[in-house]
Amino acid sequence: MEISRTNIDNGNKFDWGKASADYAKYRDIYPEEFYKKLVELGLGIKGQKVLDIGTGTGVLPRNMYRFGADWTGTDISEEQIEQAKLLSQNSGMDIAFFACPAEKLGDIDSRFDVLTACQCYWYFEHEKTAPQFAKLLNEGGKVAFLMMNWLPFEDEIAGNTEELVLKYNPEWSGKGDTMKPIAVPAPYLEYFDVEASGEFLLPVHFTRESWNGRIRACRGIGASSLTEEQKSEWEKEHLAMLAAYPQEFDIKHYAAYVVLKKK
């Protein structure tokens, strides 16, 4: 499904379905510290019913499954959901997945203790999702917005990669990130109080192949409106650039979170 947001890539269309195969293979990259932080925050643990919104290929539910929560995942892309189902079934995990835009989740009957939105909340139409998220939660329920981005000004490889993405897709708005708190969109503050927030540094290990695949699966390349020829030319240049670096390396990232509690 093609999506367009005026605040994303200057309104250019993107479609995560185009990148689902690469996403399934190369985007399961969050280090163990990321998941431990969620457990420390009391999220995704035994006894909780959790809905992961914008689940993609189910990275968060699949990696948090061991902590005992009852997980459901939803995403706007049917292709992403099909990959999520396949990966969870192949691992023997009982996770429910279904395709649905975040803005229409208020139509479902189920109620949850926790809602998570990892690496996706900036796509939501917050005026619509804020009241629906409150409706989906049990009394005292929580919403967690989560993200992890590379640091292009602090990491040479990430910076060079970012420049190359912008060469082919100059409208890509995922550029130039620095470590900062998650800003809570105003509509949520009518229904929720901020319970916790924070940021922390994370090195993420890659090979040349897996870093190239991770970028190929991003909105700037694989999910973008670039032609297949443009994507191929980008990849040739990117692999040539990476050949100057060791076969394996860490990329500097930071993670951030904010936990909202239903009023």
Side-chain angles (χ1 to χ4, degrees), residues 44-45 48-52 69-73 112-116:
I45 57 178
Q48 291 178 343
K49 189 175 180 181
V50 186
L51 176 65
D52 186 42
D70 177 9
W71 284 89
T72 298
F112 300 88
D113 303 301
V114 176
L115 308 182
T116 54

Side-chain angles (χ1 to χ4, degrees), residues 2-43:
E2 286 192 329
I3 309 167
S4 178
R5 296 283 189 270
T6 56
N7 65 321
I8 303 290
D9 301 345
N10 201 27
N12 287 347
K13 292 181 179 179
F14 53 95
D15 183 353
W16 288 112
K18 296 178 181 178
S20 288
D22 276 337
Y23 205 106
K25 185 174 182 179
Y26 294 112
R27 290 294 297 267
D28 194 345
I29 58 173
Y30 299 104
E32 183 66 14
E33 298 97 308
F34 186 86
Y35 301 112
K36 286 182 177 178
K37 174 57 69 173
L38 299 187
V39 173
E40 288 175 12
L41 292 167
L43 304 172

Side-chain angles (χ1 to χ4, degrees), residues 113 115 125-145 184-195 259-263:
D113 303 301
L115 308 182
E125 296 178 55
H126 303 297
E127 295 82 4
K128 296 180 181 179
T129 54
Q132 292 187 46
F133 289 0
K135 179 182 175 183
L136 284 167
L137 285 167
N138 292 321
E139 185 177 352
K142 299 177 182 181
V143 176
F145 292 144
V184 180
Y188 297 98
L189 300 178
E190 181 178 348
Y191 305 92
F192 299 93
D193 293 318
V194 177
E195 182 178 72
V259 181
L260 310 176
K261 186 174 181 179
K262 182 177 176 179
K263 291 183 178 181

Side-chain angles (χ1 to χ4, degrees), residues 236-258:
K236 288 178 184 178
E237 285 200 57
H238 193 232
L239 290 173
M241 182 272 285
L242 290 177
Y245 295 98
Q247 180 61 36
E248 298 188 22
F249 44 80
D250 287 346
I251 297 289
K252 294 178 181 178
H253 285 67
Y254 82 99
Y257 63 88
V258 61

Side-chain angles (χ1 to χ4, degrees), residues 9-243:
D9 301 345
N10 201 27
N12 287 347
K13 292 181 179 179
F14 53 95
D15 183 353
W16 288 112
K18 296 178 181 178
S20 288
D22 276 337
Y23 205 106
K25 185 174 182 179
Y26 294 112
R27 290 294 297 267
D28 194 345
I29 58 173
Y30 299 104
E32 183 66 14
E33 298 97 308
F34 186 86
Y35 301 112
K36 286 182 177 178
K37 174 57 69 173
L38 299 187
V39 173
E40 288 175 12
L41 292 167
L43 304 172
I45 57 178
K46 188 174 181 179
Q48 291 178 343
K49 189 175 180 181
V50 186
L51 176 65
D52 186 42
I53 304 166
T55 196
T57 58
V59 173
L60 197 64
R62 289 187 287 107
N63 282 278
M64 291 291 292
Y65 188 80
R66 58 198 151 122
F67 297 111
D70 177 9
W71 284 89
T72 298
T74 183
D75 196 275
I76 194 172
S77 169
E78 293 184 1
E79 292 89 349
Q80 295 279 70
I81 288 297
E82 288 306 310
Q83 291 286 349
K85 288 179 179 178
L86 182 63
L87 290 166
S88 61
Q89 289 167 2
N90 288 346
S91 298
M93 297 178 181
D94 182 17
I95 303 173
F97 291 103
F98 64 95
C100 181
E103 293 78 12
K104 294 185 178 180
L105 286 170
D107 296 338
I108 67 175
D109 293 331
S110 297
R111 295 294 176 268
F112 300 88
D113 303 301
V114 176
L115 308 182
T116 54
C118 185
Q119 211 72 6
C120 62
Y121 59 88
W122 44 77
Y123 298 119
F124 301 164
E125 296 178 55
H126 303 297
E127 295 82 4
K128 296 180 181 179
T129 54
Q132 292 187 46
F133 289 0
K135 179 182 175 183
L136 284 167
L137 285 167
N138 292 321
E139 185 177 352
K142 299 177 182 181
V143 176
F145 292 144
L146 313 163
M147 57 82 65
M148 185 181 77
N149 282 356
W150 66 75
L151 293 164
F153 302 118
E154 300 177 34
D155 188 285
E156 181 178 318
I157 297 176
N160 289 340
T161 290
E162 191 166 285
E163 286 184 14
L164 195 54
V165 173
L166 289 168
K167 175 182 176 180
Y168 283 84
N169 188 358
E171 301 297 338
W172 175 60
S173 57
K175 62 185 177 182
D177 201 11
T178 57
M179 187 169 172
K180 58 184 178 296
I182 292 176
V184 180
Y188 297 98
L189 300 178
E190 181 178 348
Y191 305 92
F192 299 93
D193 293 318
V194 177
E195 182 178 72
S197 64
E199 311 81 48
F200 53 102
L201 294 171
L202 282 174
V204 184
H205 193 71
F206 292 92
T207 63
R208 292 177 193 164
E209 177 197 358
S210 64
W211 176 245
N212 181 70
R214 185 262 175 271
I215 304 301
R216 195 172 63 217
C218 82
R219 194 185 71 243
I221 299 295
S224 73
S225 56
L226 295 178
T227 67
E228 291 305 313
E229 182 178 0
Q230 288 172 318
K231 293 175 185 177
S232 178
E233 288 300 314
W234 168 83
E235 186 163 32
K236 288 178 184 178
E237 285 200 57
H238 193 232
L239 290 173
M241 182 272 285
L242 290 177

